[in-house]
Amino acid sequence: MKRPTGRRTILLTVGAAAVAAVAGAVAAQSTEIRGTVTFEGGAVIPEGHLEIYLDDPGIQDNARRRASDTRIKSDGGSKAIAFSLLPPASSTASPRLRIVARLERADGWLVARGSTQVEAGSPVYVTLNTVMY
């Protein structure tokens, strides 16, 4: 003889489904590192290619040292440029992880560079400083 489904069984099933749905939503939240690049003195960022990447000084291998990167074109008219990067895939990232931004002209010459430490859960602000040759 088959037992009828009890109220307790239904509530347990609904509760488990709710917990699973919440856990899935939390896991699906973005873990991107978001930030803004500005130029020293609040000036307009010059025209060129802005390369932004994660640098992990804890890794000795130069090929693996850059965990994530992005390139953004600066049109020479913005005072701030927003960016986002994916954090390193390994959960053993160095606590000294930093973001480096490099601004290069079209001919490849470095115009400005800046870097800052990454703090988990907070936006990152990088100020570009003019490079002197």
Side-chain angles (χ1 to χ4, degrees):
M1 178 161 43
K2 195 172 184 183
R3 267 179 83 184
T5 305
R7 178 176 172 218
R8 189 167 81 180
T9 304
I10 293 172
L11 288 176
L12 282 173
T13 304
V14 169
V19 168
V22 168
V26 169
Q29 285 182 353
S30 175
T31 58
E32 289 182 335
I33 299 170
R34 296 183 182 276
T36 306
V37 175
T38 57
F39 203 74
E40 63 183 339
V44 173
I45 299 173
E47 186 175 349
H49 294 281
L50 187 61
E51 181 181 13
I52 304 166
Y53 59 92
L54 288 170
D55 182 46
D56 191 347
I59 297 176
Q60 298 300 321
D61 181 14
N62 285 338
R64 289 186 20 219
R65 192 169 175 162
R66 283 191 185 188
S68 176
D69 66 339
T70 186
R71 287 184 64 94
I72 302 170
K73 179 147 175 65
S74 172
D75 60 2
S78 301
K79 286 192 173 194
I81 296 176
F83 68 90
S84 65
L85 292 171
L86 293 175
S90 71
S91 59
T92 59
S94 169
R96 298 183 299 162
L97 187 68
R98 62 185 178 155
I99 292 187
V100 178
R102 296 172 44 99
L103 180 66
E104 297 177 2
R105 294 188 319 205
D107 61 5
W109 278 85
L110 182 64
V111 176
R113 183 185 186 282
S115 67
T116 189
Q117 292 292 123
V118 175
E119 294 179 22
S122 60
V124 178
Y125 300 98
V126 181
T127 301
L128 293 172
N129 297 301
T130 304
V131 174
M132 299 294 219
Y133 287 103

